[in-house]
Amino acid sequence: MTTRYALTDHKGWWIGLSLLLLTLASFVMWLQRATAMTHQPATPTLPGQQSAASKEPIIPLPQSVQLDPLKVALGGRLFRETRLSRTNSVSCATCHALDQGGVDRLRHSVGIHNQVGGVNAPTVFNSGFNFRQFWDGRAATLEEQAAGPITNAAEMGSSWDHVLAVLNGDGSYVAEFKSIYRDGVQVRNIRDAIATFERSLITPNSRFDRYLNGDAKAITADERNGYRLFKSYGCIACHQGINVGGNMFQKFGVMKDYFKGRENVNPADLGRFNITQRPEDRHVFKVPSLRNVASTGPYFHDGSAVTLEQAIAIMGQYQLGVTIPDADIALIAKFLHALTGEYQGKPL
Amino acid sequence: MNARTLSFKHFAAGIAVLLALALLLINGRPIDTAAHGRVIAQLGELNELDSHLGETVLAIRDGLITHYDPLAATLARMSVVVGELREGEDAIVGRGNADIDRAWQATAAALANKEDLVESFKSHNALLKNSLYYLPLVVDTALKQLPASDGLRGTLERMLREVLLLRIRHSHSEREEVNRALAHLETVLEQYAPRDRALIERLIQHSRNALHHQEKTDALAALITRGSNNQMGHELAEAYNRSFERALWLTNLYQALLSLLALALIVYAAYSFLRLKRNAARLAQSEDRYRRLVEVSPDAIIIDSAGRLAYANAAAVRLYAASSAEELIGKPLRDLIRPDDHDGPRVDGSGAGAEVHLHSLREQKALRLDGKMIDVEVVSAAIAFEDTSATQTVIRDITERKKAESRMAYLAQYDTLTGLPNRNLFHDRLRVALARAKRNQQTIALMFIDLDRFKEINDTLGHSAGDRVLSIIADRLREHLREVDTVARLGGDEFTVVLENITNTGQASTVAAKINEALAQPIIIDGQEIFITASVGIAIPQAGEENIDTLVKQADIAMYQAKQEGRNNLQFYSPEKHAKSSNLLSLESALRRALERDEFILHYQPKVSARNGRLAGVEALLRWNSRDFGMVPPAEFIPLAEETGLIVPIGEWILHHACVQAKRWQDKHPQPLTMAVNLSARQFRERNLTSTIIGALGKSGLDPRYLELEITESMVMHRPEEVVGILLKLRQMGLQLAIDDFGTGYSSLAYLKRFAVDTLKIDRSFVLDIERDPDDAAIVTAIISMAHNLDLKVVAEGVETREQLGFLQRLGCDECQGYYFSRPLPAHELETLLAAPPEKWELHRPVAIAPLLKRATG
């Protein structure tokens, strides 16, 4: 008769399992410690250190920006997608026509059902270099901004539910989203795609940028004179940086009340006050970029200035407290024309 | 097999340990140090960004940087970093940490505040620059426009200088200087032409603007830079560090607990292992113990798996007459164990029903390898054998027991002496016969055969002779009956016969007659011829009678009747006769109580001297005056007393009373009087006979010379050697001995000499016809003369007439006893006789015996 004695009865089984778990846990802990050792805190890169070579307050645009081409493509498609609006009639491109300087060249934009908006549409070009979006700067990022017009009743009059339904109903969109984003069609992803596309909308190679980059002959003497006047009159105090503006707020009517005696002062004229409700923010707007300004009229948040010259004169009067002579205005206007760049190799 | 049936307790404990492990593993998992590093880096970056922001602001104020992109970028980056910090901390210290939430909110608020300050700074700085760009232009225009002699020119130049210097020095005194200059300008403003006045006013406005925005810008820059002194994120860093320390502490705690648990588990594992090892050793010992038990078991033990033999111990090898266990292993179980009968459960263990009976002991057959089938007793138990279910069966050889059992069964049913069915089997057979007869619409006859006077054979020839007689009788009965009939011996000399398939009583009586005839043939034992007769009672069941007890009783009664009718005959049972025999039965019970009820009395029959007519002695005779039956004749109750053994205590009683009476009479009447007492054969065989006699004599004080014991011829013929000893002993005590009923037995006178008796009592049957029957006269004459030759006294019994007396006198008979003199008398009557003997006892006229003798010989 042979009898085998198993050393692993039920108690042994439990103990074995427990020890196995412990071993695994120890291994995992060791691994985590090991990775922790290799981690080195990244040295922060501090932005905007002005190079010593150029003391100019205006900085040339880069030739390109690093972006995911698939996102750019999808964003571009969404940008032109009229179905995102309630009436299938309005897209982003309706008011920000890329062949018209990124604007509609209307004093106030026209949304669905021909509704007229409250402000002049700013250009979408180089908007990625703006420190905030909208005239009142209420959006910190392009992602935030993208949602605005879509859901604005007067603009596209749509809703995210509508947008999601439209995109999910279109197999090509679903596939395209899926190829980029793991979670497919999502509000977050739609914003990301549109914002990415907008960041791609840069206009390098303006003659003035070429001048800044060392090509002394890129601009004319008048233009150079205009630039000098632009600086000496004090325009440069606000319109500086890479986007020649777009990096600060300023009150409209510093030296003289612009809105005084004007009829129909509407809520949009209150500017940043609408956001902060602080008295000192009354009539405070984001300083607009002057890049491609020659192509993006009419001017100001209310589109009240039709020509550059008008706009320069008003600026001189209300912001600088000076009446700029016409000759100087002409020269400054010439300088502003030199700020017009190229989009996809073509001048705006 | 415990491992499979995991007990709930162990299961719960296991789950608890696993839960504890999981809990500790989750809580004790190391803090994500990468995330921790990230947070530290981010906090550092935030700090650096903040410093950088301050530096940038100062650089812008001082005109070292001429655009605001760095500020916007720094703030944007700070915003991102603060957002990331929020996520990063969650990854480490978990959500809902109020401390961190508060700090984070404070940081977010500080950032928002800083943004506001920076925005404000930008705006004011832009306006300051605006004025500073424009002021020189205006001053220049004014200097061109104003006459060279104007005293204001110097003021303007000085003021411009001060304003521009203010940009560099930020000094209070310059500011005062400018303010004084502006105040001066305002006072002199009226003196100038409108064109100049407008110019000066613009100049004053821009200067004041510059002063105002200069002041604002300085204040804002101071605020921004002051705030940048590690303010930003400091609180957050502290909160984070606190939380991190706490998380670290907790993690360490859990890891310590985990280590403890692990240690405990390891210790437990070691303990369990040791215990398992110890248990294994114990198990091995236990296994060894039981294996040896199985191996050396005298009972065969086999294990079968799926109906095939897997193990056989040495006893099994022996039981199956195999040469080795290997020869048995692999054989199908059904070839080795067969059911004892077809209803019995099979032992192959494969059937579902087999389980039920598995543990019960049952008898089966074992088929040995040599083909011999033996009786075995089998008990099985389900066990596990080499990981499969199997059956262990213990097989015990019960051949011997079976033999003994059948022997017992035989003994229980057969009489060993004759080989005939005994009472038990007889009852069974009778029952079966009765049932069969009823079925076949026939009847049966039940015979009770009782040998007559068989007791005497035992008494005289001994028990072994009696046994041989019974054997021979049994053979004869068997010979003369059909196969279908049953002969049984109920015990003693009682036989029964069940006759089957009979239709009338005639058949039964024919068979009975045949039996009687067969039995009548003499039987020779030790050269001695013995004649046996039997009394046969026959009972035939009445219609509808099924009770065998009743039938047996009836046959018994009929047999008793046959005995009553003088033996050697047969009687059919009839209800009329029943009454009488039931009397007999109740007589016996009455007899049993007679002594205690003091129902016995002694009568005394005188013995008279034939020579002088004097009272020579008396014979004590027992009388029974039954309360239930009145006076019962001795012929009826004495045999009953002998049969039942009651004769022993009764005999004792007689001896005692007779001695007492004799003594009393002797005391009263001086003449010597012999008291004769009959001894029964049974009494004679009692070992304590002499002590009983001594006791009776001692108590009464009777001289032994006057006690005479009467014994029968047959009593002395049985085992004569022993008897001689007893008689001699009695003689030595001084007793007198008499042979009673002499002449009826088989004894010869020559024997008597050896027995040392004193007296012969001639049986009454010789005396009865002594005058008329010459044979009797001759016998009596011979007896008397021989007795006298042997010096024995002769007493004649049953003397009823004077002629008989005379005859006996002439022959020289010594004493006479009989109705001629007196019937047996109660004690008090005899007493009167003692006082005055009757006349007829005067034997003066002796009777001539010669003619009688002549007649007897002629």
Side-chain angles (χ1 to χ4, degrees), chain B residues 357-417:
Chain B
H357 303 285
L358 221 48
H359 294 274
S360 56
L361 198 66
R362 59 206 182 278
E363 287 182 4
Q364 294 187 313
K365 297 276 187 196
L367 182 59
R368 299 190 347 174
L369 294 189
D370 58 12
K372 202 174 149 193
M373 195 83 100
I374 59 170
D375 287 308
V376 290
E377 194 173 60
V378 158
V379 66
S380 303
I383 58 161
F385 184 75
E386 289 173 357
D387 296 337
T388 57
S389 60
T391 310
Q392 178 163 308
T393 307
V394 180
I395 306 168
R396 177 175 293 173
D397 185 351
I398 54 166
T399 310
E400 289 305 316
R401 203 183 76 195
K402 278 282 185 184
K403 270 187 202 164
E405 272 173 9
S406 59
R407 176 79 186 140
M408 294 282 283
Y410 178 81
L411 287 178
Q413 296 199 306
Y414 287 89
D415 171 40
T416 44
L417 176 62

Side-chain angles (χ1 to χ4, degrees), chain A:
Chain A
M1 244 199 264
T2 59
T3 308
R4 277 171 248 138
Y5 298 108
L7 278 177
T8 52
D9 69 350
H10 55 282
K11 278 175 207 152
W13 186 81
W14 283 115
I15 293 160
L17 185 67
S18 306
L19 288 175
L20 189 74
L21 276 173
L22 273 174
T23 314
L24 271 174
S26 313
F27 181 68
V28 168
M29 285 177 185
W30 178 80
L31 267 186
Q32 289 194 354
R33 252 181 230 293
T35 52
M37 295 297 193
T38 60
H39 177 81
Q40 294 290 331
T43 339
T45 48
L46 299 175
Q49 264 148 341
Q50 203 167 7
S51 65
S54 171
K55 283 288 181 184
E56 292 300 332
I58 293 172
I59 296 151
L61 287 171
Q63 287 297 317
S64 64
V65 282
Q66 285 295 314
L67 295 166
D68 182 345
L70 289 174
K71 286 185 183 180
V72 171
L74 175 60
R77 198 175 158 201
L78 291 167
F79 193 82
R80 296 176 185 87
E81 184 56 77
T82 53
R83 284 184 293 166
L84 298 189
S85 70
R86 180 158 298 284
T87 54
N88 297 340
S89 56
V90 177
S91 72
C92 302
T94 305
C95 299
H96 300 286
L98 299 184
D99 52 355
Q100 293 185 59
V103 294
D104 49 11
R105 301 205 172 144
L106 297 173
R107 181 174 178 184
H108 290 165
S109 298
V110 178
I112 59 166
H113 306 305
N114 295 319
Q115 294 178 94
V116 178
V119 291
N120 175 261
T123 182
V124 73
F125 279 114
N126 303 315
S127 57
F129 295 111
N130 286 338
F131 85 131
R132 288 177 164 270
Q133 306 300 332
F134 295 122
W135 279 103
D136 53 15
R138 65 180 180 271
T141 62
L142 279 171
E143 283 83 355
E144 276 181 57
Q145 182 273 335
I150 291 175
T151 54
N152 190 316
E155 296 176 34
M156 293 168 78
S158 187
S159 68
W160 283 118
D161 286 345
H162 174 77
V163 170
L164 288 173
V166 167
L167 297 181
N168 277 318
D170 187 327
S172 63
Y173 270 119
V174 172
E176 200 170 346
F177 267 99
K178 203 77 191 164
S179 72
I180 301 167
Y181 303 101
R182 206 185 308 164
D183 50 355
V185 180
Q186 299 288 340
V187 173
R188 188 175 58 245
N189 300 339
I190 295 166
R191 288 174 163 193
D192 184 65
I194 293 173
T196 306
F197 170 69
E198 288 173 338
R199 286 196 184 93
S200 77
L201 301 175
I202 58 169
T203 58
N205 297 327
S206 64
R207 286 187 293 110
F208 185 69
D209 276 358
R210 291 210 296 271
Y211 166 75
L212 287 179
N213 283 329
D215 184 357
K217 290 174 183 152
I219 55 172
T220 62
D222 282 353
E223 286 162 352
R224 196 156 47 239
N225 261 332
Y227 176 47
R228 189 181 52 79
L229 289 172
F230 187 80
K231 287 197 279 190
S232 62
Y233 276 115
C235 307
I236 197 70
C238 290
H239 293 283
Q240 31 66 42
I242 194 164
N243 233 8
V244 200
N247 61 0
M248 66 180 287
F249 292 113
Q250 191 53 279
K251 187 173 181 171
F252 195 3
V254 178
M255 303 302 285
K256 192 172 167 186
D257 192 346
Y258 176 75
F259 298 97
K260 192 177 182 181
R262 273 176 58 125
E263 292 167 14
N264 306 327
V265 175
N266 58 42
D269 293 330
L270 291 174
R272 189 147 176 79
F273 177 79
N274 289 328
I275 313 303
T276 66
Q277 305 296 318
R278 288 187 298 216
E280 65 262 34
D281 283 335
R282 197 177 284 268
H283 306 309
V284 169
F285 295 91
K286 180 182 73 181
V287 174
S289 165
L290 294 185
R291 290 204 175 267
N292 308 307
V293 73
S295 316
T296 60
Y299 304 107
F300 306 142
H301 73 278
D302 52 3
S304 55
V306 177
T307 65
L308 267 179
E309 288 75 12
Q310 280 174 356
I312 294 165
I314 289 167
M315 281 288 110
Q317 199 172 356
Y318 290 95
Q319 298 301 95
L320 304 172
V322 63
T323 304
I324 303 173
D326 286 347
D328 287 357
I329 288 175
L331 286 172
I332 291 171
K334 274 184 181 165
F335 158 67
L336 292 180
H337 272 95
L339 289 172
T340 300
E342 294 169 350
Y343 175 58
Q344 295 178 336
K346 289 178 199 150
L348 286 185

Side-chain angles (χ1 to χ4, degrees), chain B residues 134-359:
Chain B
Y134 186 59
L135 201 58
L137 287 180
V138 182
V139 170
D140 206 26
T141 310
L143 288 178
K144 280 178 189 160
Q145 210 166 302
L146 290 173
S149 58
D150 197 305
L152 216 53
R153 291 177 69 104
T155 307
L156 287 176
E157 278 180 339
R158 204 166 53 247
M159 194 186 70
L160 180 64
R161 204 168 52 240
E162 296 298 339
V163 167
L164 292 175
L165 277 173
L166 200 60
R167 182 75 176 139
I168 301 158
R169 291 184 192 150
H170 312 288
S171 145
H172 194 65
S173 57
E174 264 101 24
R175 200 182 295 276
E176 289 296 307
E177 194 76 27
V178 174
N179 274 329
R180 267 201 303 278
L182 286 173
H184 175 67
L185 280 175
E186 276 168 348
T187 52
V188 299
L189 199 58
E190 298 300 320
Q191 304 164 9
Y192 290 94
R195 195 178 69 116
D196 292 341
R197 201 160 63 202
L199 189 68
I200 293 168
E201 272 175 355
R202 204 180 302 153
L203 199 146
I204 291 170
Q205 193 191 6
H206 276 283
S207 296
R208 287 201 186 282
N209 259 352
L211 278 182
H212 171 68
H213 292 302
Q214 178 86 54
E215 206 170 3
K216 277 280 181 193
T217 309
D218 284 347
L220 285 166
L223 274 177
I224 291 165
T225 49
R226 191 181 64 203
S228 71
N229 274 341
N230 293 329
Q231 197 77 10
M232 179 66 77
H234 181 66
E235 204 182 330
L236 184 59
E238 282 200 339
Y240 168 75
N241 275 333
R242 276 196 303 275
S243 299
F244 180 74
E245 293 292 323
R246 210 174 122 259
L248 206 61
W249 185 81
L250 275 176
T251 300
N252 286 339
L253 177 71
Y254 282 123
Q255 282 183 355
L257 286 176
L258 193 64
S259 305
L260 275 177
L261 185 63
L263 201 66
L265 276 173
I266 287 164
V267 167
Y268 184 66
Y271 167 72
S272 294
F273 181 74
L274 287 176
R275 213 176 53 175
L276 278 170
K277 256 181 93 170
R278 198 186 55 199
N279 285 350
R282 281 183 183 175
L283 205 57
Q285 285 171 14
S286 168
E287 197 267 350
D288 188 54
R289 212 156 51 226
Y290 286 108
R291 194 187 56 228
R292 277 170 200 282
L293 205 58
V294 167
E295 278 170 356
V296 304
S297 166
D299 288 332
I301 296 174
I302 56 169
I303 293 171
D304 72 283
S305 184
R308 286 196 174 271
L309 211 65
Y311 170 78
N313 71 351
V317 172
R318 283 195 300 276
L319 185 130
Y320 280 105
S323 56
S324 66
E326 282 67 38
E327 202 178 343
L328 288 172
I329 285 166
K331 283 197 184 298
L333 191 65
R334 61 177 176 279
D335 286 358
L336 297 171
I337 298 181
R338 295 284 173 82
D340 199 15
D341 50 36
H342 294 293
D343 335 306
R346 299 189 177 275
V347 89
D348 53 28
S350 55
E355 293 288 323
V356 182
H357 303 285
L358 221 48
H359 294 274

Side-chain angles (χ1 to χ4, degrees), chain B residues 35-89:
Chain B
H36 175 56
R38 254 193 325 274
V39 167
I40 292 295
Q42 281 162 347
L43 281 167
E45 186 184 356
L46 188 64
N47 234 345
E48 240 175 291
L49 284 169
D50 196 25
S51 304
H52 180 61
L53 188 73
E55 286 165 18
T56 311
V57 163
L58 291 180
I60 287 171
R61 187 194 69 178
D62 295 340
L64 298 173
I65 297 174
T66 52
H67 60 91
Y68 302 136
D69 283 355
L71 287 179
T74 304
L75 282 173
R77 179 67 198 153
M78 285 170 86
S79 201
V80 167
V81 169
V82 168
E84 282 175 355
L85 268 174
R86 176 91 171 129
E87 298 301 317
E89 280 148 23

Side-chain angles (χ1 to χ4, degrees), chain B residues 455 584 587-592 594-595 600 622 624 632-651 654 680-683:
Chain B
K455 192 167 59 61
L584 202 66
L587 198 66
E588 183 185 322
S589 55
L591 185 63
R592 286 181 188 281
L595 267 180
F600 290 116
L622 188 64
W624 178 23
V632 183
E636 280 186 30
F637 76 84
I638 294 292
L640 197 59
E642 297 227 353
E643 275 175 31
T644 54
L646 283 168
I647 197 69
V648 176
I650 292 172
I654 294 170
S680 75
R682 189 82 174 254
Q683 230 177 336

